[in-house]
Coordinates of all heavy atoms in Angstrom, one line a residue:
I1 N 9.6 6.6 -5.2 CA 8.2 6.8 -4.8 C 7.3 6.5 -6.0 O 6.3 5.8 -5.8 CB 8.0 8.3 -4.3 CG1 8.8 8.5 -3.0 CG2 6.5 8.6 -4.2 CD1 8.8 10.0 -2.6
D2 N 7.6 6.9 -7.2 CA 6.8 6.6 -8.4 C 6.7 5.1 -8.6 O 5.7 4.6 -8.9 CB 7.4 7.2 -9.6 CG 7.3 8.8 -9.7 OD1 6.5 9.3 -8.9 OD2 8.0 9.4 -10.5
R3 N 7.8 4.4 -8.3 CA 7.8 2.9 -8.5 C 6.9 2.3 -7.5 O 6.1 1.4 -7.9 CB 9.3 2.4 -8.3 CG 9.4 0.9 -8.6 CD 10.7 0.3 -8.0 NE 10.7 0.2 -6.6 CZ 11.5 0.9 -5.8 NH1 12.3 1.8 -6.2 NH2 11.4 0.7 -4.4
V4 N 6.9 2.7 -6.3 CA 6.1 2.1 -5.3 C 4.6 2.4 -5.5 O 3.7 1.5 -5.4 CB 6.5 2.5 -3.9 CG1 5.4 2.2 -2.8 CG2 7.8 1.9 -3.5
V5 N 4.3 3.6 -5.9 CA 2.9 4.0 -6.3 C 2.4 3.1 -7.4 O 1.3 2.5 -7.3 CB 2.8 5.5 -6.6 CG1 1.4 5.8 -7.2 CG2 3.1 6.3 -5.4
A6 N 3.2 2.9 -8.4 CA 2.8 2.0 -9.5 C 2.7 0.6 -9.1 O 1.8 -0.1 -9.5 CB 3.9 2.1 -10.7
A7 N 3.5 0.1 -8.1 CA 3.4 -1.2 -7.6 C 2.1 -1.4 -6.9 O 1.4 -2.5 -7.0 CB 4.6 -1.5 -6.7
F8 N 1.6 -0.4 -6.1 CA 0.3 -0.6 -5.5 C -0.8 -0.7 -6.5 O -1.7 -1.5 -6.4 CB 0.0 0.7 -4.6 CG 0.5 0.5 -3.2 CD1 1.7 1.0 -2.8 CD2 -0.3 -0.1 -2.3 CE1 2.2 0.8 -1.5 CE2 0.1 -0.2 -0.9 CZ 1.3 0.2 -0.5
G9 N -0.7 0.1 -7.6 CA -1.7 0.0 -8.7 C -1.7 -1.3 -9.3 O -2.8 -2.0 -9.6
D10 N -0.6 -1.9 -9.6 CA -0.4 -3.2 -10.3 C -1.0 -4.3 -9.4 O -1.6 -5.2 -9.8 CB 1.0 -3.5 -10.7 CG 1.5 -2.5 -11.8 OD1 0.7 -1.9 -12.5 OD2 2.7 -2.5 -12.0
A11 N -0.6 -4.2 -8.0 CA -1.1 -5.2 -7.1 C -2.6 -5.2 -6.9 O -3.3 -6.2 -6.8 CB -0.4 -5.0 -5.7
A12 N -3.2 -4.0 -7.0 CA -4.6 -3.8 -6.9 C -5.3 -4.6 -8.1 O -6.3 -5.2 -8.0 CB -5.0 -2.3 -6.9
A13 N -4.7 -4.4 -9.3 CA -5.3 -5.1 -10.5 C -5.2 -6.6 -10.3 O -6.1 -7.4 -10.7 CB -4.5 -4.7 -11.7
R14 N -4.1 -7.1 -9.7 CA -4.0 -8.6 -9.4 C -5.0 -9.1 -8.4 O -5.6 -10.2 -8.6 CB -2.6 -8.9 -9.0 CG -1.5 -8.7 -10.1 CD -0.1 -9.1 -9.7 NE 0.8 -8.8 -10.7 CZ 1.6 -7.7 -10.7 NH1 1.7 -7.0 -9.6 NH2 2.4 -7.5 -11.7
V15 N -5.2 -8.3 -7.3 CA -6.1 -8.9 -6.3 C -7.6 -8.7 -6.8 O -8.5 -9.5 -6.4 CB -5.9 -8.2 -4.9 CG1 -4.5 -8.5 -4.4 CG2 -6.2 -6.8 -4.9
A16 N -7.8 -7.8 -7.7 CA -9.1 -7.7 -8.4 C -9.4 -9.0 -9.2 O -10.5 -9.5 -9.1 CB -9.2 -6.5 -9.2
K17 N -8.4 -9.4 -10.0 CA -8.5 -10.6 -10.7 C -8.7 -11.8 -9.8 O -9.4 -12.8 -10.2 CB -7.3 -10.8 -11.6 CG -7.1 -9.9 -12.8 CD -5.9 -10.2 -13.6 CE -5.8 -9.2 -14.8 NZ -4.5 -9.4 -15.5
A18 N -8.1 -11.8 -8.6 CA -8.3 -12.9 -7.7 C -9.6 -12.9 -7.0 O -10.0 -13.9 -6.4 CB -7.2 -12.8 -6.6
G19 N -10.4 -11.9 -7.2 CA -11.8 -11.9 -6.7 C -12.0 -11.2 -5.3 O -13.1 -11.4 -4.7
F20 N -11.0 -10.5 -4.9 CA -11.3 -9.8 -3.6 C -12.2 -8.6 -3.8 O -12.2 -7.9 -4.9 CB -9.9 -9.2 -3.0 CG -9.1 -10.4 -2.4 CD1 -8.2 -11.0 -3.1 CD2 -9.4 -10.8 -1.1 CE1 -7.4 -12.1 -2.6 CE2 -8.7 -11.8 -0.5 CZ -7.7 -12.5 -1.3
E21 N -13.0 -8.3 -2.8 CA -14.1 -7.3 -2.8 C -13.7 -6.0 -2.2 O -14.4 -5.0 -2.4 CB -15.3 -7.9 -2.2 CG -15.8 -9.2 -2.8 CD -16.7 -10.0 -2.0 OE1 -16.3 -10.6 -1.0 OE2 -17.9 -10.0 -2.3
M22 N -12.7 -6.0 -1.4 CA -12.2 -4.8 -0.7 C -10.7 -4.8 -0.6 O -10.1 -5.9 -0.4 CB -12.8 -4.7 0.7 CG -12.3 -3.5 1.6 SD -12.9 -3.5 3.3 CE -14.6 -3.1 3.1
I23 N -10.1 -3.7 -0.7 CA -8.7 -3.6 -0.5 C -8.5 -2.7 0.7 O -9.1 -1.6 0.8 CB -7.9 -3.0 -1.7 CG1 -7.8 -4.0 -2.8 CG2 -6.5 -2.5 -1.3 CD1 -7.2 -3.5 -4.1
E24 N -7.6 -3.2 1.6 CA -7.2 -2.3 2.7 C -5.8 -1.8 2.4 O -4.9 -2.7 2.2 CB -7.2 -3.0 4.1 CG -6.7 -2.1 5.2 CD -6.8 -2.7 6.6 OE1 -7.9 -2.7 7.2 OE2 -5.8 -3.3 7.1
I25 N -5.5 -0.5 2.4 CA -4.2 0.0 2.2 C -3.6 0.2 3.6 O -4.1 0.8 4.5 CB -4.3 1.4 1.5 CG1 -4.8 1.2 0.1 CG2 -2.9 2.1 1.5 CD1 -5.2 2.5 -0.6
H26 N -2.4 -0.4 3.7 CA -1.7 -0.5 5.0 C -0.9 0.9 5.3 O 0.1 1.1 4.7 CB -0.7 -1.6 5.1 CG -0.3 -2.0 6.5 ND1 -0.6 -1.3 7.6 CD2 0.4 -3.1 6.9 CE1 -0.1 -1.9 8.7 NE2 0.4 -3.0 8.3
G27 N -1.6 1.7 6.1 CA -0.9 3.0 6.4 C -0.6 3.0 7.9 O -0.6 4.1 8.5
A28 N -0.3 1.9 8.5 CA -0.1 1.8 10.0 C 1.2 1.1 10.4 O 1.9 0.6 9.5 CB -1.3 1.1 10.6
H29 N 1.4 1.1 11.6 CA 2.4 0.3 12.3 C 3.9 0.5 11.9 O 4.7 -0.5 12.0 CB 2.0 -1.2 12.2 CG 0.7 -1.5 12.7 ND1 -0.1 -2.6 12.4 CD2 -0.1 -0.8 13.6 CE1 -1.3 -2.6 13.0 NE2 -1.3 -1.5 13.8
G30 N 4.2 1.6 11.4 CA 5.6 1.9 11.1 C 6.1 1.4 9.8 O 7.3 1.3 9.5
Y31 N 5.1 0.9 8.9 CA 5.5 0.4 7.6 C 5.5 1.7 6.7 O 5.4 2.8 7.1 CB 4.6 -0.7 7.1 CG 4.7 -1.9 8.0 CD1 3.6 -2.3 8.8 CD2 5.9 -2.6 8.2 CE1 3.7 -3.4 9.7 CE2 6.0 -3.6 9.1 CZ 4.9 -4.0 9.8 OH 5.0 -5.1 10.7
L32 N 5.8 1.5 5.4 CA 6.2 2.6 4.5 C 5.2 3.8 4.6 O 5.7 5.0 4.9 CB 6.3 2.2 3.1 CG 6.9 3.2 2.2 CD1 8.4 3.6 2.6 CD2 6.8 2.8 0.7
I33 N 4.0 3.6 4.3 CA 3.1 4.8 4.2 C 3.0 5.4 5.6 O 3.0 6.6 5.8 CB 1.7 4.3 3.8 CG1 1.7 3.9 2.3 CG2 0.6 5.5 3.9 CD1 0.5 3.3 1.7
S34 N 3.0 4.6 6.7 CA 2.9 5.1 8.0 C 4.1 6.0 8.4 O 4.0 7.0 9.0 CB 2.9 3.9 9.0 OG 3.0 4.3 10.4
T35 N 5.3 5.6 7.9 CA 6.5 6.4 8.1 C 6.5 7.7 7.4 O 7.0 8.7 7.9 CB 7.8 5.7 7.8 OG1 7.8 5.1 6.5 CG2 8.1 4.5 8.8
F36 N 5.9 7.7 6.2 CA 5.7 9.0 5.5 C 4.8 9.9 6.3 O 4.9 11.2 6.4 CB 5.1 8.8 4.1 CG 6.2 8.7 3.1 CD1 6.8 7.5 2.8 CD2 6.6 9.8 2.3 CE1 7.8 7.3 1.9 CE2 7.5 9.7 1.3 CZ 8.1 8.4 1.1
M37 N 3.8 9.4 7.0 CA 2.8 10.2 7.7 C 3.3 10.7 9.1 O 2.8 11.7 9.6 CB 1.5 9.3 8.0 CG 0.8 9.0 6.7 SD -0.7 7.9 6.9 CE -1.8 9.0 7.7
S38 N 4.4 10.0 9.7 CA 4.8 10.4 11.0 C 6.0 11.3 10.9 O 7.0 11.0 10.3 CB 5.2 9.1 11.7 OG 5.8 9.5 13.0
P39 N 6.0 12.4 11.7 CA 7.2 13.3 11.8 C 8.4 12.6 12.5 O 9.5 13.1 12.4 CB 6.7 14.5 12.6 CG 5.5 13.9 13.4 CD 4.9 12.9 12.6
L40 N 8.2 11.5 13.2 CA 9.3 10.8 13.8 C 10.2 10.1 12.8 O 11.4 10.0 13.0 CB 8.8 9.8 14.8 CG 8.0 10.3 16.0 CD1 7.5 9.1 16.8 CD2 8.7 11.3 16.8
A41 N 9.6 9.7 11.6 CA 10.4 9.0 10.6 C 10.5 9.8 9.4 O 11.4 9.5 8.5 CB 9.6 7.7 10.3

């Protein structure tokens, strides 16, 4: 979990350098954050 959290932070720094103005964090559709949020997974 610590590794993945750090990876999100590092990726955010890279897309900031690339010039993106907004980041959407994917917490849907059965991917990792979504599965943490759902009692089914």
Side-chain angles (χ1 to χ4, degrees):
I1 293 171
D2 289 345
R3 184 194 74 247
V4 167
V5 170
F8 269 95
D10 292 343
R14 293 186 183 102
V15 301
K17 287 181 181 177
F20 284 95
E21 302 163 286
M22 177 188 288
I23 287 174
E24 177 174 281
I25 296 168
H26 200 349
H29 301 160
Y31 300 115
L32 186 66
I33 293 173
S34 175
T35 52
F36 269 84
M37 294 175 73
S38 174
L40 299 177

